[in-house]
Amino acid sequence: MGGTKRVLMLGDVVGEAGVAALEKRLPALIRATGADLVVANGENATGGFGIAAPELERILDAGVDVVTSGNHVWEKKGYAELLESEERLIRPANYPEGAPGRGSVLVEKSGVRWLVCNLQGRERMRAIDCPFRAGEKLAAAGAEALAVVLVDFHAESNEEKEALCSHLDGAVAAVVGTHTHVQTADARVSAKGTACLTDLGMCGPVDSVIGMKVDTCVRRSVSQMPLKMEVAEGAATIRGALVEIDPETRLAVSIEAVKD
């Protein structure tokens, strides 16, 4: 296989601004980083909540190989058909049996087998099946397939994210967090070779509150009224992480935060 491989993992793509930023700047970012595989969380791509076929197609056409998701993936009409028909779009693997779609996908690219996995947290979120046990099964499946295992853990709690990274330490190449839309500064590779980052951040509008219109978010906080959040517009940032992986050990060599 020759040399290390690089994976670009991008945070939640928020609204039109986030999708357009990927279309305009992702190809150059892939060249600059030398990424062999690109993964992005797309659950907020359509109007800030959920993902529909047009936005999914644009994200894939921009150069993303696998689109992960989370708790908002169910919010647009036709979600079940989309999850069933497009294997490059995955949903959290720890939803109960019978949920549409799949929680992981095996991709062969750049001479490497990649098992891209999606899990969802339970702290301050819906009490679905255990992400830790689901993660164990995914890691075992990756080992059996001789694949590099990458995990997008869509969770609210930093504690839960760090705990999952420790739980899967040495069994997967990377555990990176999504959902909060705020990039953290704790990128690291464990002694056993798992790259971890609590949250990748977002690909979305800069002048915003987690990608949403500032004035509405401020009024929600001040008034404590359940005002509907709307996605912001304008210039967007692209945030995520670049993970360098040894394809022989199928573990990480380095991880660095990405901001474009």
Side-chain angles (χ1 to χ4, degrees), residues 73-142:
V73 74
W74 321 105
E75 297 197 19
K76 289 292 181 279
K77 184 178 180 180
Y79 71 82
E81 293 81 3
L82 191 61
L83 284 165
E84 291 289 349
S85 64
E86 179 51 80
E87 66 176 12
R88 292 174 292 178
L89 172 65
I90 60 176
R91 47 83 175 162
N94 55 315
Y95 271 88
E97 185 176 352
R102 57 200 61 79
S104 64
V105 62
L106 186 64
V107 177
E108 295 194 28
K109 191 177 181 188
S110 299
V112 176
R113 285 185 172 185
W114 311 90
L115 185 66
V116 183
C117 310
N118 204 175
L119 294 169
Q120 183 174 309
R122 298 190 294 185
E123 293 188 19
R124 302 194 298 279
M125 297 184 75
R126 188 178 295 275
I128 57 177
D129 293 346
C130 179
F132 292 80
R133 292 187 177 90
E136 291 172 3
K137 293 178 181 178
L138 291 168

Side-chain angles (χ1 to χ4, degrees), residues 145-230:
L146 299 179
V148 174
V149 182
L150 307 167
V151 179
D152 172 350
F153 189 29
H154 197 77
E156 185 76 35
S157 164
N158 288 343
E159 176 190 352
E160 191 178 21
K161 290 176 181 179
E162 289 192 328
L164 182 70
C165 189
S166 296
H167 187 63
L168 298 180
D169 192 8
V172 303
V175 176
V176 295
T178 56
H179 181 65
T180 72
H181 298 196
V182 178
Q183 189 180 61
T184 55
D186 60 337
R188 64 203 183 281
V189 176
S190 73
K192 294 182 180 179
T194 296
C196 303
L197 180 63
T198 302
D199 203 284
L200 294 170
M202 72 171 179
C203 302
V206 175
D207 186 13
S208 71
V209 174
I210 63 168
M212 302 297 153
K213 289 183 177 179
V214 173
D215 58 345
T216 303
C217 291
V218 171
R219 286 190 290 119
R220 277 170 60 95
S221 295
V222 171
S223 69
Q224 291 299 295
M225 293 293 102
L227 304 175
K228 182 181 179 180
M229 291 194 296
E230 296 179 336

Side-chain angles (χ1 to χ4, degrees), residues 1-8 26-27 29-31 33-40 59-66 88 105-116 145-148 150 245-247:
M1 284 180 275
T4 60
K5 302 296 181 180
R6 294 183 169 192
V7 181
L8 185 60
L26 182 56
L29 184 59
I30 292 172
R31 292 192 296 271
T33 58
D36 295 286
L37 187 79
V38 182
V39 179
I59 291 170
L60 293 170
D61 287 347
V64 174
D65 296 295
V66 178
R88 292 174 292 178
V105 62
L106 186 64
V107 177
E108 295 194 28
K109 191 177 181 188
S110 299
V112 176
R113 285 185 172 185
W114 311 90
L115 185 66
V116 183
L146 299 179
V148 174
L150 307 167
I245 293 166
D246 181 344

